[in-house]
Amino acid sequence: MSLPTPTEEQELHQRVLKGESLAPKDVFTVFVDPITARLCRDPRQSKEQAWDAVIDVIYAYLAHPERYIPERSRLSTYLSEAAKKKLFDGYRSREARTRREREFGTVFELCARAPKESLEVTVEARLAVRRIDHARLPERDRVFIGLVLQGEGSTHVLARAMGLPPMPDKDRKREVKRNRDRLVKWLRRFGKEDRDDES
């Protein structure tokens, strides 16, 4: 599973630019296995994740081969670095999701309930977090909801979570309240839609 020579890479790139019908197949044949093998040296990445990342970046390259600038690096380096970035972004996203689920779950686990009821609430909380995650709520709103669910009432803390610039206390309180009201409405609507889906 060795990479082609720089000259072979450039010839392949020229074929892609010219739109040769077999060039895309050759790009996959030449690059997928060696780049995947190199990415798998990182123990945090599975072969499937590495393979998916390589496939994605090759498709992106084939869709816009003109974005690759040969003077800057070899084609194999260009594709490898793009795949590494994609893997790293995916890893960070998975870590953030796990952290959010753990934080939301912890909030509900702290409620003083009977063991069976506590377990049911915890499971429901984790499912709710997953559903909220799939709702593609902006990260800032997720952080805000997490703080509110944990009982955070400080206007300064919530304003910082919202990313508000410095402003008078009165204006800050109004903005935090407006944002809290907006998210509470969203949560109610989200919960209602969820219940409707289950019925």
Side-chain angles (χ1 to χ4, degrees):
M1 285 190 294
S2 60
L3 290 165
T5 65
T7 303
E8 290 169 335
E9 289 186 7
Q10 285 312 305
E11 288 171 358
L12 185 52
H13 177 59
Q14 289 304 316
R15 289 174 54 210
V16 170
L17 287 173
K18 289 174 186 171
E20 286 188 18
S21 60
L22 293 177
K25 177 183 176 292
D26 291 342
V27 170
F28 280 102
T29 302
V30 166
F31 290 117
V32 171
D33 287 340
I35 294 177
T36 300
R38 288 172 189 217
L39 293 176
C40 285
R41 292 175 187 163
D42 183 341
R44 294 173 300 178
Q45 310 301 340
S46 71
K47 185 172 183 181
E48 291 76 21
Q49 290 165 342
W51 190 85
D52 285 344
V54 175
I55 295 294
D56 286 347
V57 299
I58 289 177
Y59 273 124
Y61 160 70
L62 291 172
H64 297 284
E66 71 283 355
R67 292 180 182 167
Y68 163 63
I69 301 170
E71 293 77 23
R72 290 189 182 170
S73 66
R74 289 182 55 173
L75 181 55
S76 55
T77 304
Y78 173 79
L79 295 172
S80 295
E81 290 304 312
K84 271 187 207 171
K85 183 178 184 314
K86 190 166 191 62
L87 272 175
F88 181 69
D89 290 346
Y91 174 76
R92 280 196 337 194
S93 176
R94 288 190 302 277
E95 287 289 299
R97 184 180 304 117
T98 301
R99 187 178 64 252
R100 282 195 303 270
E101 288 178 3
R102 188 170 54 244
E103 288 169 358
F104 277 108
T106 301
V107 169
F108 286 91
E109 285 168 359
L110 292 175
C111 297
R113 298 177 182 267
K116 183 180 176 198
E117 189 179 348
S118 178
L119 179 61
E120 289 170 359
V121 169
T122 300
V123 170
E124 286 178 20
R126 291 185 192 280
L127 291 172
V129 170
R130 286 194 184 98
R131 289 192 296 265
I132 290 171
D133 200 34
H134 290 302
R136 298 187 181 180
L137 199 62
E139 184 68 25
R140 189 175 289 175
D141 287 349
R142 291 177 205 272
V143 171
F144 191 94
I145 289 172
L147 288 170
V148 170
L149 288 175
Q150 292 175 59
E152 183 58 66
S154 167
T155 302
H156 288 281
V157 172
L158 294 173
R160 197 164 48 246
M162 288 170 59
L164 291 179
M167 60 178 65
D169 284 345
K170 183 179 174 184
D171 295 338
R172 186 183 300 111
K173 283 180 184 175
R174 186 174 60 244
E175 282 301 304
V176 168
K177 183 181 182 318
R178 185 183 64 75
N179 202 52
R180 185 198 298 262
D181 291 347
R182 175 180 66 83
L183 288 171
V184 166
K185 280 182 189 172
W186 182 87
L187 283 168
R188 283 185 185 139
R189 203 166 50 244
F190 182 77
K192 182 179 182 306
E193 288 170 5
D194 202 44
R195 285 192 299 275
D196 290 345
D197 289 343
E198 289 173 0
S199 58

mmCIF file of all heavy atoms in Angstrom, residues 142-161:
data_model
loop_
_atom_site.group_PDB
_atom_site.id
_atom_site.type_symbol
_atom_site.label_atom_id
_atom_site.label_comp_id
_atom_site.label_asym_id
_atom_site.label_seq_id
_atom_site.Cartn_x
_atom_site.Cartn_y
_atom_site.Cartn_z
ATOM 1 N N ARG A 142 -27.350 25.490 23.347
ATOM 2 C CA ARG A 142 -27.198 24.260 24.130
ATOM 3 C C ARG A 142 -26.538 24.557 25.478
ATOM 4 O O ARG A 142 -26.945 24.033 26.508
ATOM 5 C CB ARG A 142 -26.329 23.247 23.385
ATOM 6 C CG ARG A 142 -26.963 22.659 22.155
ATOM 7 C CD ARG A 142 -25.933 21.731 21.513
ATOM 8 N NE ARG A 142 -26.176 21.576 20.101
ATOM 9 C CZ ARG A 142 -26.976 20.674 19.591
ATOM 10 N NH1 ARG A 142 -27.615 19.864 20.372
ATOM 11 N NH2 ARG A 142 -27.161 20.600 18.292
ATOM 12 N N VAL A 143 -25.485 25.379 25.441
ATOM 13 C CA VAL A 143 -24.777 25.730 26.677
ATOM 14 C C VAL A 143 -25.725 26.465 27.621
ATOM 15 O O VAL A 143 -25.782 26.188 28.819
ATOM 16 C CB VAL A 143 -23.535 26.594 26.357
ATOM 17 C CG1 VAL A 143 -22.910 27.146 27.634
ATOM 18 C CG2 VAL A 143 -22.511 25.777 25.576
ATOM 19 N N PHE A 144 -26.491 27.395 27.056
ATOM 20 C CA PHE A 144 -27.435 28.186 27.859
ATOM 21 C C PHE A 144 -28.454 27.261 28.532
ATOM 22 O O PHE A 144 -28.713 27.357 29.732
ATOM 23 C CB PHE A 144 -28.137 29.211 26.960
ATOM 24 C CG PHE A 144 -28.919 30.243 27.716
ATOM 25 C CD1 PHE A 144 -28.347 31.462 28.053
ATOM 26 C CD2 PHE A 144 -30.236 30.021 28.092
ATOM 27 C CE1 PHE A 144 -29.066 32.431 28.747
ATOM 28 C CE2 PHE A 144 -30.966 30.970 28.788
ATOM 29 C CZ PHE A 144 -30.376 32.188 29.115
ATOM 30 N N ILE A 145 -29.042 26.332 27.753
ATOM 31 C CA ILE A 145 -30.029 25.389 28.296
ATOM 32 C C ILE A 145 -29.391 24.542 29.401
ATOM 33 O O ILE A 145 -29.991 24.315 30.453
ATOM 34 C CB ILE A 145 -30.604 24.481 27.182
ATOM 35 C CG1 ILE A 145 -31.526 25.299 26.264
ATOM 36 C CG2 ILE A 145 -31.364 23.303 27.771
ATOM 37 C CD1 ILE A 145 -31.991 24.554 25.038
ATOM 38 N N GLY A 146 -28.162 24.083 29.163
ATOM 39 C CA GLY A 146 -27.468 23.282 30.161
ATOM 40 C C GLY A 146 -27.295 24.030 31.467
ATOM 41 O O GLY A 146 -27.532 23.486 32.547
ATOM 42 N N LEU A 147 -26.913 25.300 31.384
ATOM 43 C CA LEU A 147 -26.736 26.110 32.594
ATOM 44 C C LEU A 147 -28.059 26.297 33.331
ATOM 45 O O LEU A 147 -28.128 26.193 34.555
ATOM 46 C CB LEU A 147 -26.133 27.475 32.231
ATOM 47 C CG LEU A 147 -24.658 27.456 31.806
ATOM 48 C CD1 LEU A 147 -24.255 28.804 31.234
ATOM 49 C CD2 LEU A 147 -23.762 27.074 32.970
ATOM 50 N N VAL A 148 -29.117 26.585 32.584
ATOM 51 C CA VAL A 148 -30.433 26.794 33.199
ATOM 52 C C VAL A 148 -30.902 25.513 33.884
ATOM 53 O O VAL A 148 -31.405 25.542 35.012
ATOM 54 C CB VAL A 148 -31.464 27.276 32.148
ATOM 55 C CG1 VAL A 148 -32.875 27.251 32.715
ATOM 56 C CG2 VAL A 148 -31.108 28.679 31.663
ATOM 57 N N LEU A 149 -30.720 24.363 33.214
ATOM 58 C CA LEU A 149 -31.135 23.089 33.804
ATOM 59 C C LEU A 149 -30.337 22.752 35.061
ATOM 60 O O LEU A 149 -30.810 22.034 35.933
ATOM 61 C CB LEU A 149 -30.991 21.960 32.786
ATOM 62 C CG LEU A 149 -32.021 21.952 31.653
ATOM 63 C CD1 LEU A 149 -31.704 20.859 30.656
ATOM 64 C CD2 LEU A 149 -33.429 21.778 32.201
ATOM 65 N N GLN A 150 -29.123 23.271 35.143
ATOM 66 C CA GLN A 150 -28.309 23.038 36.333
ATOM 67 C C GLN A 150 -28.636 24.032 37.447
ATOM 68 O O GLN A 150 -28.022 24.013 38.495
ATOM 69 C CB GLN A 150 -26.820 23.133 35.981
ATOM 70 C CG GLN A 150 -26.351 21.999 35.084
ATOM 71 C CD GLN A 150 -24.920 22.186 34.646
ATOM 72 O OE1 GLN A 150 -24.027 22.276 35.474
ATOM 73 N NE2 GLN A 150 -24.698 22.249 33.346
ATOM 74 N N GLY A 151 -29.600 24.925 37.175
ATOM 75 C CA GLY A 151 -30.030 25.862 38.201
ATOM 76 C C GLY A 151 -29.263 27.166 38.211
ATOM 77 O O GLY A 151 -29.368 27.952 39.154
ATOM 78 N N GLU A 152 -28.474 27.418 37.158
ATOM 79 C CA GLU A 152 -27.706 28.662 37.109
ATOM 80 C C GLU A 152 -28.652 29.848 36.948
ATOM 81 O O GLU A 152 -29.482 29.875 36.045
ATOM 82 C CB GLU A 152 -26.718 28.619 35.927
ATOM 83 C CG GLU A 152 -25.820 29.838 35.826
ATOM 84 C CD GLU A 152 -24.990 30.055 37.075
ATOM 85 O OE1 GLU A 152 -24.122 29.220 37.375
ATOM 86 O OE2 GLU A 152 -25.236 31.064 37.765
ATOM 87 N N GLY A 153 -28.532 30.821 37.850
ATOM 88 C CA GLY A 153 -29.407 31.982 37.790
ATOM 89 C C GLY A 153 -28.654 33.288 37.622
ATOM 90 O O GLY A 153 -29.263 34.347 37.469
ATOM 91 N N SER A 154 -27.330 33.223 37.631
ATOM 92 C CA SER A 154 -26.529 34.443 37.521
ATOM 93 C C SER A 154 -26.651 35.052 36.129
ATOM 94 O O SER A 154 -26.351 34.406 35.121
ATOM 95 C CB SER A 154 -25.059 34.127 37.813
ATOM 96 O OG SER A 154 -24.240 35.206 37.415
ATOM 97 N N THR A 155 -27.084 36.298 36.106
ATOM 98 C CA THR A 155 -27.220 36.991 34.823
ATOM 99 C C THR A 155 -25.876 37.092 34.124
ATOM 100 O O THR A 155 -25.786 36.937 32.905
ATOM 101 C CB THR A 155 -27.803 38.414 35.042
ATOM 102 O OG1 THR A 155 -29.065 38.280 35.697
ATOM 103 C CG2 THR A 155 -28.003 39.138 33.733
ATOM 104 N N HIS A 156 -24.809 37.334 34.901
ATOM 105 C CA HIS A 156 -23.477 37.477 34.309
ATOM 106 C C HIS A 156 -23.017 36.176 33.652
ATOM 107 O O HIS A 156 -22.482 36.198 32.539
ATOM 108 C CB HIS A 156 -22.463 37.915 35.374
ATOM 109 C CG HIS A 156 -22.633 39.340 35.800
ATOM 110 N ND1 HIS A 156 -22.173 40.399 35.049
ATOM 111 C CD2 HIS A 156 -23.226 39.877 36.886
ATOM 112 C CE1 HIS A 156 -22.467 41.534 35.658
ATOM 113 N NE2 HIS A 156 -23.123 41.253 36.779
ATOM 114 N N VAL A 157 -23.245 35.049 34.333
ATOM 115 C CA VAL A 157 -22.833 33.745 33.785
ATOM 116 C C VAL A 157 -23.624 33.437 32.514
ATOM 117 O O VAL A 157 -23.066 33.022 31.501
ATOM 118 C CB VAL A 157 -23.025 32.620 34.826
ATOM 119 C CG1 VAL A 157 -22.784 31.241 34.208
ATOM 120 C CG2 VAL A 157 -22.082 32.835 36.003
ATOM 121 N N LEU A 158 -24.929 33.643 32.563
ATOM 122 C CA LEU A 158 -25.773 33.355 31.398
ATOM 123 C C LEU A 158 -25.461 34.301 30.246
ATOM 124 O O LEU A 158 -25.471 33.906 29.084
ATOM 125 C CB LEU A 158 -27.250 33.438 31.792
ATOM 126 C CG LEU A 158 -27.709 32.363 32.793
ATOM 127 C CD1 LEU A 158 -29.140 32.634 33.255
ATOM 128 C CD2 LEU A 158 -27.600 30.968 32.201
ATOM 129 N N ALA A 159 -25.162 35.562 30.579
ATOM 130 C CA ALA A 159 -24.808 36.527 29.531
ATOM 131 C C ALA A 159 -23.505 36.114 28.853
ATOM 132 O O ALA A 159 -23.361 36.228 27.636
ATOM 133 C CB ALA A 159 -24.682 37.926 30.130
ATOM 134 N N ARG A 160 -22.549 35.614 29.655
ATOM 135 C CA ARG A 160 -21.277 35.163 29.088
ATOM 136 C C ARG A 160 -21.506 33.962 28.177
ATOM 137 O O ARG A 160 -20.914 33.862 27.107
ATOM 138 C CB ARG A 160 -20.311 34.821 30.219
ATOM 139 C CG ARG A 160 -18.870 34.730 29.791
ATOM 140 C CD ARG A 160 -17.852 34.776 30.907
ATOM 141 N NE ARG A 160 -18.135 33.884 32.013
ATOM 142 C CZ ARG A 160 -18.441 34.291 33.246
ATOM 143 N NH1 ARG A 160 -18.496 35.571 33.537
ATOM 144 N NH2 ARG A 160 -18.692 33.416 34.194
ATOM 145 N N ALA A 161 -22.402 33.052 28.592
ATOM 146 C CA ALA A 161 -22.713 31.883 27.762
ATOM 147 C C ALA A 161 -23.341 32.307 26.436
ATOM 148 O O ALA A 161 -23.147 31.660 25.410
ATOM 149 C CB ALA A 161 -23.655 30.945 28.508
#
